[in-house]
mmCIF file of all heavy atoms in Angstrom:
data_model
loop_
_atom_site.group_PDB
_atom_site.id
_atom_site.type_symbol
_atom_site.label_atom_id
_atom_site.label_comp_id
_atom_site.label_asym_id
_atom_site.label_seq_id
_atom_site.Cartn_x
_atom_site.Cartn_y
_atom_site.Cartn_z
ATOM 1 N N ALA A 278 -8.157 -21.690 -20.196
ATOM 2 C CA ALA A 278 -9.592 -21.575 -20.370
ATOM 3 C C ALA A 278 -9.898 -20.294 -21.151
ATOM 4 O O ALA A 278 -10.812 -20.246 -21.977
ATOM 5 C CB ALA A 278 -10.298 -21.539 -18.963
ATOM 6 N N VAL A 279 -9.192 -19.220 -20.857
ATOM 7 C CA VAL A 279 -9.380 -17.987 -21.629
ATOM 8 C C VAL A 279 -9.163 -18.149 -23.115
ATOM 9 O O VAL A 279 -9.947 -17.793 -23.991
ATOM 10 C CB VAL A 279 -8.502 -16.799 -21.069
ATOM 11 C CG1 VAL A 279 -8.591 -15.613 -21.932
ATOM 12 C CG2 VAL A 279 -8.923 -16.481 -19.621
ATOM 13 N N LEU A 280 -8.016 -18.884 -23.428
ATOM 14 C CA LEU A 280 -7.689 -19.130 -24.793
ATOM 15 C C LEU A 280 -8.723 -20.083 -25.447
ATOM 16 O O LEU A 280 -9.091 -19.902 -26.620
ATOM 17 C CB LEU A 280 -6.286 -19.744 -24.921
ATOM 18 C CG LEU A 280 -5.110 -18.755 -24.751
ATOM 19 C CD1 LEU A 280 -3.803 -19.518 -24.691
ATOM 20 C CD2 LEU A 280 -5.100 -17.677 -25.710
ATOM 21 N N LEU A 281 -9.148 -21.119 -24.684
ATOM 22 C CA LEU A 281 -10.095 -22.076 -25.237
ATOM 23 C C LEU A 281 -11.384 -21.380 -25.569
ATOM 24 O O LEU A 281 -12.014 -21.615 -26.635
ATOM 25 C CB LEU A 281 -10.330 -23.209 -24.221
ATOM 26 C CG LEU A 281 -11.354 -24.262 -24.628
ATOM 27 C CD1 LEU A 281 -10.889 -24.927 -25.960
ATOM 28 C CD2 LEU A 281 -11.524 -25.272 -23.529
ATOM 29 N N VAL A 282 -11.903 -20.575 -24.669
ATOM 30 C CA VAL A 282 -13.151 -19.861 -24.932
ATOM 31 C C VAL A 282 -12.975 -18.899 -26.085
ATOM 32 O O VAL A 282 -13.900 -18.737 -26.973
ATOM 33 C CB VAL A 282 -13.622 -19.055 -23.714
ATOM 34 C CG1 VAL A 282 -14.822 -18.195 -24.022
ATOM 35 C CG2 VAL A 282 -13.975 -19.996 -22.536
ATOM 36 N N GLY A 283 -11.780 -18.274 -26.285
ATOM 37 C CA GLY A 283 -11.471 -17.388 -27.357
ATOM 38 C C GLY A 283 -11.542 -18.193 -28.614
ATOM 39 O O GLY A 283 -12.107 -17.696 -29.626
ATOM 40 N N VAL A 284 -10.995 -19.400 -28.699
ATOM 41 C CA VAL A 284 -11.093 -20.183 -29.902
ATOM 42 C C VAL A 284 -12.465 -20.566 -30.225
ATOM 43 O O VAL A 284 -12.921 -20.467 -31.365
ATOM 44 C CB VAL A 284 -10.120 -21.393 -29.757
ATOM 45 C CG1 VAL A 284 -10.310 -22.353 -30.930
ATOM 46 C CG2 VAL A 284 -8.670 -20.948 -29.686
ATOM 47 N N LEU A 285 -13.231 -21.070 -29.268
ATOM 48 C CA LEU A 285 -14.564 -21.554 -29.474
ATOM 49 C C LEU A 285 -15.502 -20.420 -29.910
ATOM 50 O O LEU A 285 -16.430 -20.657 -30.718
ATOM 51 C CB LEU A 285 -15.090 -22.228 -28.212
ATOM 52 C CG LEU A 285 -14.367 -23.512 -27.790
ATOM 53 C CD1 LEU A 285 -14.999 -24.014 -26.466
ATOM 54 C CD2 LEU A 285 -14.505 -24.608 -28.889
ATOM 55 N N ARG A 286 -15.256 -19.229 -29.355
ATOM 56 C CA ARG A 286 -16.105 -18.083 -29.721
ATOM 57 C C ARG A 286 -15.527 -17.226 -30.867
ATOM 58 O O ARG A 286 -16.032 -16.143 -31.138
ATOM 59 C CB ARG A 286 -16.280 -17.160 -28.477
ATOM 60 C CG ARG A 286 -16.966 -17.873 -27.264
ATOM 61 C CD ARG A 286 -18.382 -18.205 -27.607
ATOM 62 N NE ARG A 286 -19.179 -17.098 -28.112
ATOM 63 C CZ ARG A 286 -20.472 -17.227 -28.493
ATOM 64 N NH1 ARG A 286 -21.072 -18.372 -28.466
ATOM 65 N NH2 ARG A 286 -21.135 -16.150 -28.900
ATOM 66 N N ARG A 287 -14.559 -17.785 -31.526
ATOM 67 C CA ARG A 287 -13.911 -17.088 -32.657
ATOM 68 C C ARG A 287 -13.358 -15.745 -32.201
ATOM 69 O O ARG A 287 -13.411 -14.767 -32.941
ATOM 70 C CB ARG A 287 -14.864 -16.860 -33.765
ATOM 71 C CG ARG A 287 -15.384 -18.192 -34.393
ATOM 72 C CD ARG A 287 -16.344 -18.015 -35.541
ATOM 73 N NE ARG A 287 -16.830 -19.257 -36.107
ATOM 74 C CZ ARG A 287 -17.753 -19.346 -37.059
ATOM 75 N NH1 ARG A 287 -18.181 -18.243 -37.645
ATOM 76 N NH2 ARG A 287 -18.165 -20.495 -37.545
ATOM 77 N N ARG A 288 -12.702 -15.737 -31.103
ATOM 78 C CA ARG A 288 -12.068 -14.562 -30.544
ATOM 79 C C ARG A 288 -10.686 -14.899 -30.109
ATOM 80 O O ARG A 288 -10.246 -14.588 -28.987
ATOM 81 C CB ARG A 288 -12.899 -14.003 -29.329
ATOM 82 C CG ARG A 288 -14.276 -13.457 -29.735
ATOM 83 C CD ARG A 288 -14.997 -12.996 -28.400
ATOM 84 N NE ARG A 288 -16.227 -12.283 -28.766
ATOM 85 C CZ ARG A 288 -17.436 -12.841 -28.983
ATOM 86 N NH1 ARG A 288 -17.530 -14.173 -28.928
ATOM 87 N NH2 ARG A 288 -18.487 -12.088 -29.205
ATOM 88 N N LEU A 289 -9.913 -15.477 -31.007
ATOM 89 C CA LEU A 289 -8.559 -15.948 -30.639
ATOM 90 C C LEU A 289 -7.690 -14.730 -30.325
ATOM 91 O O LEU A 289 -6.902 -14.741 -29.326
ATOM 92 C CB LEU A 289 -7.943 -16.686 -31.808
ATOM 93 C CG LEU A 289 -6.512 -17.176 -31.599
ATOM 94 C CD1 LEU A 289 -6.326 -18.049 -30.330
ATOM 95 C CD2 LEU A 289 -5.953 -17.888 -32.850
ATOM 96 N N VAL A 290 -7.757 -13.669 -31.078
ATOM 97 C CA VAL A 290 -6.901 -12.453 -30.827
ATOM 98 C C VAL A 290 -7.296 -11.877 -29.494
ATOM 99 O O VAL A 290 -6.390 -11.483 -28.691
ATOM 100 C CB VAL A 290 -7.157 -11.426 -31.938
ATOM 101 C CG1 VAL A 290 -6.315 -10.191 -31.636
ATOM 102 C CG2 VAL A 290 -6.745 -12.007 -33.289
ATOM 103 N N ALA A 291 -8.561 -11.866 -29.163
ATOM 104 C CA ALA A 291 -9.013 -11.432 -27.842
ATOM 105 C C ALA A 291 -8.505 -12.291 -26.719
ATOM 106 O O ALA A 291 -8.080 -11.826 -25.641
ATOM 107 C CB ALA A 291 -10.510 -11.221 -27.778
#
Side-chain angles (χ1 to χ4, degrees):
V279 172
L280 287 176
L281 178 60
V282 175
V284 172
L285 295 177
R286 298 297 306 179
R287 298 180 180 179
R288 293 176 171 88
L289 178 58
V290 177

